[in-house]
Amino acid sequence: MKTLRVLALTVAALLSLGLTARAETTLRIGIAEDPDILDPTLARTYVGRIVFSAVCDKLFDIDEKLNIVPQLALSYETSPDGKAMTVKLRPGVKFHDGEPLDAEAAKFSIERHLTFPGSFRKSELASVDHVEVVDPLTIRLVLKTPYAPLIAQLTDRAGMMVSPKAAKEAGDKFGLHPVCAGPYKFVERVQQDRMVFEKFADYWNKDNVFIDRIVYLPIVDATVRLANLKSGSLDLIERVLATDIKDVRADSRLVLSTAPELGYLGLTININNDKNKGALSQSDKVRQALDWSIDREALNQVAFNGEFTPGNQWVSPQHPFYQKAFPVHGRDIEKAKALLKEAGVALPVTIDVMVPKGSENEAVAQVVQSMAAEAGFDLKIRLIEFATSFKDAQAGNFQIFQINWSGRIDPDGNSYVFLHTGAPQNDGGYSNPEADKLMEEGRLVSDPAQRKAIYEKLTKIVLNDEPIIYLYHRKLLIAHTTRLEGYRQMPDGLVRVVGLKLK
């Protein structure tokens, strides 16, 4: 009898363990590319931001209506002269290594963004002169000049806090094992295969974290991502093809979430880093000719079933900072040919076009290639792995880089980093002193009407110089199974995991 009792208890214990194991939940997210380094100071990819949203909380966040809301900070106050911002931190916050997020840690994170070699946050925080510790939970950002976009920058990677202890120990290897203050902590990463994170037990908002593990799976082919979602191998996928919208909506097991994107897709032109000194880099008339050869609405219909928004600026026509004085123009082949003739270039104008792999990217490139050919261009499409494309871009190994920018809530975040002389993502080396001055002025002024007037002047210059040919603005398309509850579509396209539940 004693043996039977022990056996029964053993079986009960095993069953209990089994039930506990089965109760653990894993959210599997299919992403369109493998991110670059998981270090918020050094990262520059959109898909990386999707992963960061589960790992690295920021001082502030945005809501569905683009309002700025507290996250690791509770509040902020800007001085009357606009040259200082005082930020109150949330008490009781810990990093994944157990270290406290206090004012000293916040000061360290912002200074790291400003000074770390290769930082992509430096230009976003360029107006910050230094950071002061006011008290254990208060910091003051002292500015060189007033900086209207600062609070918007702190809702993204520039506002992400990293553990000083872990960052100092890891140095430039921090991205191999990021230690932040988000809801999930790093477990492992296998390049081109998976990234695994588990729930952080001491997260400040742990009562609203209901899923135990998150696995991000890079799957470049959108058709394969959708097939995996339908089969149950994934729970959520980002960047559904516009051509698959009807298919997703017709499936009762799936939910489609949509929102207009804040960013754009454009053709970044290598103006000053082009080793071959091709016609496109040397002549604004050639760049303008390429622009006039493209029918943006036809591109939208062919590649996206008319679901996206044709555009010609760094913000969409629906954005309050869109310059209506410069509307999206139609296609004019004769004008394109005339501009090429004025430029005195030999035809065809052969151009290397670097395109990250992916069916939509390839479709866009092929449509543009076909249209441009009628004007006298010979676009040579070069497909490349996503992360590698950024290395080639920074090395100047391209003539056109067809790349999407996910967008920011402030127009400065869609322009300065790509167009200002020496800015870290100005891959084409564009430089125009007058444009630089206007971008700098746009950062000093907080009044929307005055800022818009400044950006109107900037738009005129950029549309003439054409360092980037803006083509369209995507609609965010994220699909998930009906098992997933609580998903809210945000305008930045990031997947907020706090509050999500799996049935």
Side-chain angles (χ1 to χ4, degrees):
M1 290 296 293
K2 185 177 179 182
T3 304
L4 287 173
R5 248 193 334 268
V6 171
L7 182 60
L9 288 170
T10 303
V11 170
L14 288 172
L15 285 171
S16 174
L17 286 171
L19 288 171
T20 302
R22 283 196 297 275
E24 286 192 356
T25 50
T26 299
L27 176 64
R28 300 155 302 173
I29 298 177
I31 52 180
E33 298 105 8
D34 197 33
D36 59 348
I37 189 167
L38 295 179
D39 181 336
T41 299
L42 301 175
R44 63 175 287 184
T45 62
Y46 165 61
V47 72
R49 293 172 67 220
I50 293 176
V51 176
F52 281 134
S53 66
V55 184
C56 299
D57 276 5
K58 305 155 291 188
L59 291 175
F60 300 93
D61 201 3
I62 61 171
D63 64 15
E64 292 97 326
K65 296 182 179 180
L66 296 180
N67 296 311
I68 293 172
V69 296
Q71 196 169 65
L72 294 176
L74 293 176
S75 64
Y76 74 97
E77 184 178 340
T78 303
S79 63
D81 65 0
K83 290 188 177 181
M85 177 185 286
T86 302
V87 178
K88 293 280 186 182
L89 299 173
R90 186 180 296 279
V93 176
K94 291 182 181 180
F95 291 107
H96 298 149
D97 58 2
E99 294 291 306
L101 171 52
D102 55 15
E104 289 288 352
K107 179 178 186 288
F108 171 87
S109 290
I110 293 171
E111 289 178 343
R112 183 176 189 267
H113 290 323
L114 280 168
T115 62
F116 199 80
S119 171
F120 281 106
R121 310 287 80 81
K122 188 174 181 179
S123 70
E124 297 168 3
L125 297 170
S127 68
V128 178
D129 183 75
H130 63 277
V131 183
E132 297 175 349
V133 172
V134 178
D135 63 42
L137 287 174
T138 308
I139 58 170
R140 180 178 295 117
L141 281 66
V142 180
L143 311 183
K144 302 168 189 172
T145 60
Y147 181 44
L150 179 57
I151 186 63
Q153 298 289 13
L154 297 178
T155 67
D156 205 85
R157 285 170 294 203
M160 290 180 187
M161 301 288 101
V162 302
S163 165
K165 180 182 176 183
K168 288 173 184 174
E169 289 176 355
D172 61 0
K173 302 293 190 297
F174 178 80
L176 300 177
H177 192 134
V179 180
C180 295
Y184 290 84
K185 63 181 182 179
F186 180 85
V187 175
E188 68 167 341
R189 178 178 188 178
V190 179
Q191 292 283 349
Q192 305 294 333
D193 183 71
R194 66 186 181 275
M195 285 155 286
V196 182
F197 302 88
E198 65 182 23
K199 183 165 64 174
F200 176 44
D202 290 328
Y203 181 55
W204 64 268
N205 193 17
K206 63 184 177 183
D207 290 344
N208 287 312
V209 179
F210 305 106
I211 294 170
D212 299 298
R213 289 166 74 86
I214 299 181
V215 180
Y216 295 90
L217 299 152
I219 302 172
V220 175
D221 191 315
T223 303
V224 175
R225 282 201 305 279
L226 180 56
N228 276 270
L229 181 69
K230 287 186 167 190
S231 71
S233 298
L234 294 173
D235 303 297
L236 180 147
I237 61 172
E238 56 107 6
R239 275 179 277 182
V240 173
L241 294 178
T243 49
D244 285 334
I245 289 175
K246 289 182 180 178
D247 188 17
V248 173
R249 285 179 172 155
D251 192 325
S252 61
R253 301 166 301 169
L254 303 181
V255 177
L256 183 71
S257 294
T258 70
E261 186 185 47
L262 294 170
Y264 61 83
L265 183 133
L267 306 178
T268 297
I269 296 171
N270 192 347
I271 293 178
N272 285 320
N273 293 327
D274 180 15
K275 299 176 180 65
N276 298 316
K277 302 295 181 186
L280 193 69
S281 66
Q282 302 303 299
S283 170
D284 56 8
K285 285 185 169 58
V286 175
R287 298 192 289 275
Q288 291 164 13
L290 179 59
D291 190 336
W292 281 102
S293 76
I294 300 168
D295 186 330
R296 289 166 171 79
E297 183 51 47
L299 171 63
N300 181 34
Q301 294 297 331
V302 171
F304 311 115
N305 285 353
E307 293 284 347
F308 291 179
T309 302
N312 67 331
Q313 299 172 30
W314 48 85
V315 293
S316 76
Q318 289 77 38
H319 195 281
F321 274 81
Y322 183 79
Q323 303 298 331
K324 294 181 180 178
F326 305 100
V328 179
H329 61 69
R331 188 186 193 216
D332 191 332
I333 283 293
E334 294 309 313
K335 185 166 186 173
K337 289 179 177 178
L339 283 164
L340 289 177
K341 187 174 182 180
E342 285 180 44
V345 295
L347 301 182
V349 178
T350 302
I351 301 168
D352 164 65
V353 185
M354 183 168 67
V355 180
K357 291 178 180 178
S359 54
E360 277 191 346
N361 290 336
E362 294 171 35
V364 169
Q366 289 165 1
V367 172
V368 171
Q369 179 187 52
S370 177
M371 290 177 174
E374 295 182 37
F377 291 96
D378 180 16
L379 303 188
K380 304 291 189 183
I381 298 171
R382 173 165 56 96
L383 297 177
I384 189 169
E385 192 273 323
F386 179 70
T388 305
S389 71
F390 287 99
K391 295 177 183 177
D392 274 23
Q394 287 177 265
N397 185 25
F398 72 99
Q399 290 182 300
I400 289 179
F401 183 17
Q402 179 185 296
I403 189 64
N404 195 84
W405 172 243
S406 54
R408 300 294 183 269
I409 59 176
D410 189 279
D412 175 87
N414 285 1
S415 52
Y416 190 104
V417 72
F418 301 104
L419 300 171
H420 193 279
T421 301
Q425 296 190 59
N426 184 352
D427 295 320
Y430 173 63
S431 181
N432 183 313
E434 191 177 352
D436 287 350
K437 183 180 177 183
L438 290 167
M439 282 183 271
E440 290 157 12
E441 286 179 8
R443 289 182 154 190
L444 299 175
V445 178
S446 57
D447 179 75
Q450 291 180 36
R451 286 190 85 200
K452 189 169 182 179
I454 292 168
Y455 279 108
E456 181 176 359
K457 296 175 184 175
L458 175 63
T459 303
K460 183 178 181 181
I461 293 170
V462 172
L463 291 184
N464 177 77
D465 293 351
E466 300 261 36
I468 300 174
I469 298 176
Y470 303 94
L471 295 182
Y472 61 82
H473 308 273
R474 297 183 304 181
K475 181 184 289 184
L476 296 168
L477 299 169
I478 292 181
H480 61 83
T481 70
T482 52
R483 292 180 58 241
L484 185 66
E485 296 180 334
Y487 182 76
R488 298 180 301 150
Q489 183 60 62
M490 295 296 189
D492 58 8
L494 308 187
V495 179
R496 270 48 169 206
V497 293
V498 173
L500 296 185
K501 295 180 180 179
L502 276 170
K503 288 192 286 187

